[in-house]
Structure formats: C-alpha cells, structure tokens
Amino acid sequence: MNANPDIESDAMAETPCSLCPLKKSPLFLAHSPEENDLMQSLKRREVTLKPGETLIREGQTDAPLYTLIDGWAFRLKTLSDGRRQILNFLLPGDFIGVQQKMGDAAAHGVVTLTDAVFCVFQRDALWELHRRSPTMGFNITWLTAHEESLVDDTLLSVGRRSAEERIATLLILLFKRAAALQTDAGAGGVPFPLTQQHVADGLGLSLVHTNKTLRKLERRGLHQIVDGRLHMRDVKALARLADLYGDGRPPQRPLV
C-alpha cells in the first residue's frame, strides 16, 4: 500500500464543475449556476490514483476534502498488528474527509480499489460551504448522515448477521449503489473490484469462511461474479436472506 503522496494534477485535463460527468446521472440532484460557481471557487485540482494507493493516511492532519468522481475506494481503520476493518466502500459521488474536519486528525484511512479520480477542495471548504450556501451546507449534512447509515448497516452485519446474511447484505447494497450510476440500471452487471480479502475485512469474517460462503450463495443461484463484474441472479431471494430495511436502492442525493 503506497504512502500518501503530494499528487499534482494536469490542469489541462481538469473538468469544470459545471461539466462534471456525474451530473448526467439522475441519481444526483442538480446544482444551480451559483452552486456550480461556489464549488469551482473552492476546487483546488483533480488527482488520479492507481489501485491500492492511499488517499488519506490514518492520523493525517492536513488532508483536504475530496469528491470521488470515478472509480472505487474504501475507508478503513487498522490495529497496531496490521489487522484492519473496512468501514465502508466508496463509489462515485461520495464526499470524503468530513470526519477529519471535526477533529485534529483523520480517524481513518482511505485507499483506492481501482483507478480513481478525485476532486480536491481547499481545506476550509466545509466552512465556506456552510457560510456561503445554506443549501450546500445542508447537502454536506445529508451526505454525512447517509454515510453514517452505511456504516450502521456494516455494524449490524458484523454484530448480528450470520456469514450468509452479511455477504448477502454487502452484495445487494453494493450492487444497488453501483447500478444507480449506470444507464442500464445494472442489467449487464456492475463492476465488483473487491477481492475476497476486502469482503472479509469489511464483514469481520475469515478469508476461508468468506470463500466458502460466496461459493455457497453462488451455487444457490443468487449471484455471480465473473470477470470483475457482479450479476444478480435472484435479487428477491438475496434481499430476503439479507433481511434489509427497504430494497437497498439508494435515494436521489446531493453532489458536492
């Protein structure tokens, strides 16, 4: 896992906030021209990382704020002996780094799963958004609460669900989140860059138990992972097994 570098971007390759590719998706609420201008004024640059690179180090005190524009990443905490807990997985549109702004240092790390592109915002952007736009300030609150709900789902899984229920929950939630970003709504499957180790570290399972459970669910015809893509074969059965609140479909959401 690479250390967090001071990454410089190619300014010529940057996309204006008003032309952000995520704004084409109906998943995200539209910005007003004034909100576009505000975000553009706070944006520093864009950075691109390769799989397995560190965006934010645990304990880092100077991390800016980020929006994930393309690719997947995850938040994690580690123990002194190297054991890690993946807190949640990050997909395009997720806003990253708010937790550090509530304290002196980053309480978690962020590592990429795939090639990923991030918009980088100045370190006082959180306060400027609240000060200059109450609507954007509310959007930050909404996104923070939404991320907390995802972590709550993970805690429920680790604390109370069986291995089958944990993996069923993870699969269907990630599928629904990724499908909402696609024009085909997941009909052709969705990207699934997680290894079995990522699944195990996100759900508090051993690697052996994770492998056996994934194979068991696939043999039952509930899902299939082929060539890095996740396909749902029996969504209703998987949802019943997961015992989800709701259908797992993400609501329309703000974009920062």
Side-chain angles (χ1 to χ4, degrees), residues 207-224:
L207 187 58
V208 171
H209 203 171
T210 298
N211 177 273
K212 290 180 178 179
T213 305
L214 279 167
R215 287 190 295 166
K216 183 177 180 179
L217 296 180
E218 188 164 354
R219 285 196 302 268
R220 288 168 58 182
L222 302 185
H223 80 285
Q224 188 177 28

Side-chain angles (χ1 to χ4, degrees), residues 106-117:
H108 60 263
V110 175
V111 176
T112 55
L113 274 166
T114 67
D115 290 332
V117 179

Side-chain angles (χ1 to χ4, degrees), residues 6 12 18 84 90 133 139 162 184 193 215 219 239-240:
D6 292 325
M12 296 299 293
S18 60
R84 70 181 183 182
L90 303 169
S133 173
N139 289 347
S162 68
D184 69 352
R215 287 190 295 166
R219 285 196 302 268
R240 285 195 299 269

Side-chain angles (χ1 to χ4, degrees), residues 1-5 49-58 60 66 68 70-78 84-91 94 96-97 106 108-118 147 193-194 198 201:
M1 188 182 299
N2 293 338
N4 178 292
L49 298 183
K50 295 179 180 179
E53 290 197 300
T54 298
L55 180 72
I56 297 175
R57 298 186 305 272
E58 292 177 81
Q60 186 174 340
Y66 301 91
L68 178 54
D70 186 48
W72 290 42
F74 60 91
R75 294 196 306 117
L76 78 158
K77 293 178 73 74
T78 57
R84 70 181 183 182
Q85 176 67 46
I86 292 178
L87 304 174
N88 69 309
F89 294 97
L90 303 169
L91 274 65
D94 285 345
I96 303 166
H108 60 263
V110 175
V111 176
T112 55
L113 274 166
T114 67
D115 290 332
V117 179
F118 301 86
E147 182 173 10
L194 283 65
H198 291 123
D201 290 347

Side-chain angles (χ1 to χ4, degrees), residues 106 128 140 242:
E128 286 296 301
I140 295 290

Side-chain angles (χ1 to χ4, degrees), residues 110-187:
V110 175
V111 176
T112 55
L113 274 166
T114 67
D115 290 332
V117 179
F118 301 86
C119 275
V120 186
F121 296 101
Q122 62 187 54
R123 282 161 55 187
D124 62 352
L126 188 63
W127 319 117
E128 286 296 301
L129 286 170
H130 282 83
R131 185 177 69 84
R132 295 166 59 181
S133 173
T135 298
M136 294 300 288
F138 174 80
N139 289 347
I140 295 290
T141 303
W142 191 98
L143 290 170
T144 303
H146 179 65
E147 182 173 10
E148 182 179 359
S149 73
L150 296 177
V151 176
D152 286 349
D153 281 328
T154 299
L155 179 59
L156 177 60
S157 287
V158 172
R160 292 299 175 187
R161 288 185 170 113
S162 68
E164 288 187 13
E165 292 168 339
R166 294 183 204 186
I167 290 179
T169 298
L170 178 69
L171 292 178
I172 199 163
L173 289 179
L174 285 178
F175 181 87
K176 295 279 188 174
R177 289 175 63 194
L181 295 163
Q182 298 183 180
T183 56
D184 69 352

